Amino acid sequence: MFKPARHGEVGGVSLQRSQQQKPLRSHDRLNLCAEMSHKIVNLRVRDVRFPTSLEQHGSDAMHTDPDYSAAYVVLDTDSGLKGFGLTFTLGKGTEIVLCAVKALAGLVIGKSLQEIVSNFRGFYRLLTSDGQMRWLGPEKGVIHLATAAVLNAVWDLWARAEGKPLWKLLVDMDPKQIVSCIDFRYITDVLTEEEALDILVKAQEGKKQREDQMLKEGYPAYTTSCAWLGYSDQQLKQLCSDALKSGWTRFKVKVGADLEDDIRRCRLIRKMIGPSSTLMIDANQRWDVAEAISWVSRLAEVKPLWIEEPTSPDDILGHAAISKALAPLGIGVATGEQCHNRVMFKQFLQASALQFVQIDSCRLGSVNENLAVLLMAYKFQVPVCPHAGGVGLCELVQHLILFDYICVSADLRNRMCEYVDHLHEHFTSPVVIQDAHYMPPKDPGYSCEMLEESVNRHEYPEGDIWKQEIQK
Ligand SMILES: C[C@H](O)[C@@H](O)[C@@H](O)[C@H](O)C(=O)O
Ligand SMILES: [Mg+2]
């Protein structure tokens, strides 16, 4: 078990600000007082929805009218420091996630940050294994989305208490402490605590250079913003040509509703981006296994790097069959945005059912469970290409992939993080993209905080935006 924190430390990490921080505001100085244990005194959760369906942003073969939304959590502490967290939804049903967050609140309120992070594995287990509530999951569905929202807020709080962006908090952590945050239950047959530690210790070599490289160059990204399924060919062409001008070289196209449309749209994009740029296609679970193989074979001429979510996200053996059939065409299978826990990822990896692991910051049980998946992916030598987009997913997952490169994989081959150009303006520390790369965030925290005004305007159903929509 992780050793208890000494006086003046949070979870064994001394309370120091990293070099590249913005200057301290007086408010921060107050919060960073080393004496404070940051006892969580309240948890608030709000239903925040953006009417993205009006313009078909985010549309795909299965989710034709998503309103990008979030269950948005704020943790208040006795020191005045706050933690912000969220989980992503598509509109309807967000109120159910709010209920689940409220059901978990009793396990969080009254605990101090110090208490939580000095036994983070135990706290993760407390939230995911409550003897009554686990029946609702376990570790899947609405209750797990709620766990993600709450734990994301705890990680945000921790990073803020340290005065570091989350990626830097992780990068500076002792490997033993990282491992102490992971619940290895159900995965020890492929990854033991000792093996995880060994991976992290070995990757210490060259860590500083990789961190400097990331600060200078950023992490490579691809864009999904040009080719949502509901966009017209005209729109697609315009967005693609704008993206090319801004330096994008990797593009994802939505497919799966109509084969002839897919062939036309994919040819169009391939022609515009040229043979050396990278193209990926995403069917969002539209097909049965045999249909997936025949449909994607017809699209092989546009040379996609991967087909994403070809079939049910739970069908591990189906994905394995598709992977096997498409391998001779040079097309890999990617999945993960609806892969609900580490056990599923374990089996996908064991069965060679995916060639690209798409972690998700709000689907899995926050940083804790994502760490387990990053380490398993490393063990199986499968590249991680995170799912992002939605609302806030880019802001969050950039921290995890930076950690992955600096402290786990040390490899950029066949790796890139998704980027979607929507709704960043609603965050206090929005992502910074330069030359199609994610630049490492500098503000303390997990980049989850939304502007209060945005939350008020988009809160469902009372916010102005929704009042106007309802009146129409
Ligand atoms: C409904 C959403 O926009 C999805 O289409 C989106 O997350 C997508 O699968 C993606 O990979 O970005
Ligand atoms: Mg997808």
Side-chain angles (χ1 to χ4, degrees):
M1 195 50 61
F2 172 64
K3 74 173 163 36
R6 290 199 307 271
H7 180 73
E9 293 182 339
V10 174
V13 179
S14 66
L15 290 170
Q16 277 169 9
R17 297 177 69 84
S18 58
Q19 297 306 308
Q20 74 277 20
Q21 300 308 313
K22 281 185 178 167
L24 281 175
R25 291 164 302 179
S26 55
H27 173 70
D28 290 331
R29 250 179 240 124
L30 177 84
N31 293 331
L32 284 168
C33 171
E35 298 293 327
M36 283 176 182
S37 65
H38 306 294
K39 183 172 167 188
I40 296 166
V41 292
N42 196 17
L43 182 156
R44 290 172 285 150
V45 58
R46 297 170 77 179
D47 184 335
V48 187
R49 305 188 190 184
F50 298 88
T52 43
S53 62
L54 294 176
E55 292 179 83
Q56 299 274 289
H57 303 318
S59 54
D60 64 51
M62 295 296 260
H63 314 100
T64 47
D65 60 349
D67 282 334
Y68 280 174
S69 306
Y72 180 60
V73 171
V74 182
L75 298 176
D76 296 305
T77 68
D78 60 355
S79 67
L81 192 66
K82 294 185 194 313
F84 302 86
L86 58 86
T87 192
F88 172 59
T89 54
L90 298 187
K92 288 177 200 150
T94 309
E95 71 279 7
I96 307 172
V97 186
L98 259 66
C99 283
V101 169
K102 286 177 194 158
L104 293 174
L107 301 172
V108 183
I109 296 169
K111 298 233 163 25
S112 72
L113 176 63
Q114 188 159 347
E115 207 180 327
I116 292 173
V117 303
S118 61
N119 180 14
F120 216 154
R121 177 183 300 162
F123 186 69
Y124 177 89
R125 185 75 71 87
L126 181 79
L127 251 58
T128 53
S129 292
D130 175 88
Q132 296 184 353
M133 276 190 283
R134 77 183 295 285
W135 201 258
L136 306 180
E139 295 180 89
K140 61 169 96 60
V142 170
I143 194 74
H144 212 41
L145 292 175
T147 299
V150 171
L151 285 176
N152 283 340
V154 171
W155 279 95
D156 181 66
L157 181 66
W158 190 6
R160 283 167 191 263
E162 294 288 335
K164 295 178 182 183
L166 179 103
W167 69 268
K168 178 69 176 154
L169 169 73
L170 292 172
V171 162
D172 290 349
M173 262 187 203
D174 180 76
K176 275 205 186 105
Q177 190 176 14
I178 299 214
V179 162
S180 80
C181 297
I182 301 172
D183 188 351
F184 286 88
R185 185 188 255 178
Y186 309 134
I187 59 170
T188 50
D189 49 335
V190 305
L191 185 77
T192 62
E193 193 170 340
E194 293 67 37
E195 280 176 298
L197 191 60
D198 193 46
I199 293 170
L200 291 166
V201 169
K202 288 202 176 113
Q204 295 284 305
E205 202 192 314
K207 201 171 104 172
K208 178 77 180 71
Q209 290 94 296
R210 290 193 292 279
E211 182 178 338
D212 291 345
Q213 180 198 354
M214 286 296 109
L215 287 167
K216 212 164 120 224
E217 296 167 12
Y219 195 90
Y222 74 86
T223 177
T224 308
S225 282
C226 304
W228 296 113
L229 203 81
Y231 285 1
S232 67
D233 287 9
Q234 192 47 41
Q235 206 172 355
L236 203 133
K237 271 195 222 157
Q238 184 60 52
L239 290 168
C240 190
S241 108
D242 293 349
L244 285 164
K245 279 188 208 131
S246 312
W248 291 95
T249 57
R250 304 170 172 106
F251 299 81
K252 191 161 85 185
V253 180
K254 292 287 170 181
V255 297
D258 179 280
L259 182 56
E260 293 315 314
D261 281 349
D262 290 352
I263 295 173
R264 191 189 69 255
R265 284 158 52 88
C266 289
R267 280 184 185 161
L268 198 153
I269 295 253
R270 175 50 91 194
K271 198 166 162 231
M272 287 189 75
I273 67 176
S276 57
S277 288
T278 308
L279 183 68
M280 283 83 66
I281 53 176
D282 185 357
N284 289 86
Q285 314 162 16
R286 182 63 187 251
W287 306 307
D288 280 11
V289 173
E291 195 183 11
I293 296 168
S294 65
W295 198 302
V296 177
S297 302
R298 291 287 307 279
L299 295 173
E301 60 165 87
V302 298
K303 300 208 178 324
L305 174 68
W306 76 53
I307 171 64
E308 178 171 325
E309 290 202 299
T311 191
S312 160
D314 297 350
D315 188 356
I316 297 163
L317 297 183
H319 279 77
I322 297 167
S323 296
K324 205 167 163 201
L326 296 180
L329 300 175
I331 304 170
V333 169
T335 193
E337 67 188 61
Q338 295 212 354
C339 185
H340 43 246
N341 60 41
R342 65 193 178 287
V343 188
M344 293 289 293
F345 273 114
K346 177 187 82 170
Q347 291 193 38
F348 271 105
L349 289 163
Q350 284 175 308
S352 304
L354 46 58
Q355 288 70 52
F356 298 91
V357 165
Q358 298 183 299
I359 55 164
D360 185 295
S361 54
C362 293
R363 173 77 53 188
L364 292 176
S366 187
V367 179
N368 314 66
E369 197 170 28
N370 270 296
L371 289 171
V373 176
L374 293 178
L375 288 159
M376 286 194 290
Y378 177 79
K379 177 153 180 208
F380 283 87
Q381 285 294 295
V382 175
V384 177
C385 298
H387 172 240
V391 54
L393 298 181
C394 301
E395 272 68 22
L396 273 77
V397 88
Q398 59 178 336
H399 291 269
L400 304 180
I401 201 62
L402 283 164
F403 166 77
D404 181 60
Y405 176 62
I406 299 169
C407 296
V408 183
S409 76
D411 194 351
L412 289 177
R413 282 168 308 161
N414 260 339
R415 288 160 192 271
M416 54 197 149
C417 187
E418 181 171 14
Y419 176 70
V420 165
D421 196 10
H422 307 296
L423 308 174
H424 303 293
E425 66 278 16
H426 299 292
F427 288 82
T428 58
S429 303
V431 286
V432 177
I433 298 285
Q434 263 172 34
D435 199 20
H437 285 67
Y438 276 92
M439 300 313 290
K442 295 194 166 136
D443 289 341
Y446 196 5
S447 310
C448 301
E449 185 183 2
M450 286 190 194
L451 297 171
E452 189 61 22
E453 206 214 322
S454 293
V455 176
N456 290 339
R457 278 172 63 73
H458 293 88
E459 185 155 21
Y460 186 85
E462 306 88 25
D464 286 351
I465 296 282
W466 292 105
K467 276 200 207 132
Q468 286 161 18
E469 276 309 307
I470 290 159
Q471 273 160 18
K472 272 185 196 163

